[in-house]
Amino acid sequence: MNTSLTATRSTSQQVATGAGRLQERLARRVGLALLAWSRSAEARRANADRLRDGDLARRAELRHEADRLRDGNFTTLALVARTL
C-alpha cells in the first residue's frame, strides 16, 4: 500500500493560476502598448512644435523681407516724386 502523500492541484487552482498568468501577460502588453502610444504622441507633439517654431521663424523672415521691400519702394517713390 502506498502511503505517500502527493499534492495535486485541483482544476479550479489550475484555472486560477492560468487566469492569473493571462492577466499578467495582458497587463504587460497593455502597458507596453500605452507606453508606445504615449511615446508616439509625444513625438507627434514635438514634431508639431518644431514645425510651428519653423513657421514662426519663416513668418519673421517674410515680415522682415516685406518691410525691407516696402522701405525700398518708399525710397524709390520719394526719389521719383522729388524729380517731378
Side-chain angles (χ1 to χ4, degrees):
M1 176 162 68
N2 187 356
T3 59
S4 65
L5 296 175
T6 57
T8 59
R9 288 187 174 178
S10 68
T11 304
S12 62
Q13 287 175 327
Q14 290 174 349
V15 169
T17 302
R21 287 182 190 150
L22 177 63
Q23 280 184 323
E24 186 178 326
R25 285 196 319 262
L26 286 174
R28 192 174 299 133
R29 285 184 181 180
V30 167
L32 290 173
L34 286 173
L35 182 61
W37 175 80
S38 175
R39 286 180 178 167
S40 66
E42 182 62 31
R44 284 191 305 273
R45 279 192 295 273
N47 192 31
D49 289 344
R50 185 178 52 79
L51 290 175
R52 194 175 309 123
D53 291 344
D55 289 345
L56 291 175
R58 180 70 179 138
R59 279 189 214 160
E61 271 181 39
L62 290 173
R63 192 175 303 120
H64 179 70
E65 182 69 12
D67 290 343
R68 189 184 64 75
L69 291 172
R70 186 177 54 245
D71 291 346
N73 286 341
F74 182 79
T75 303
T76 302
L77 287 174
L79 291 174
V80 168
R82 187 181 284 171
T83 59
L84 295 177

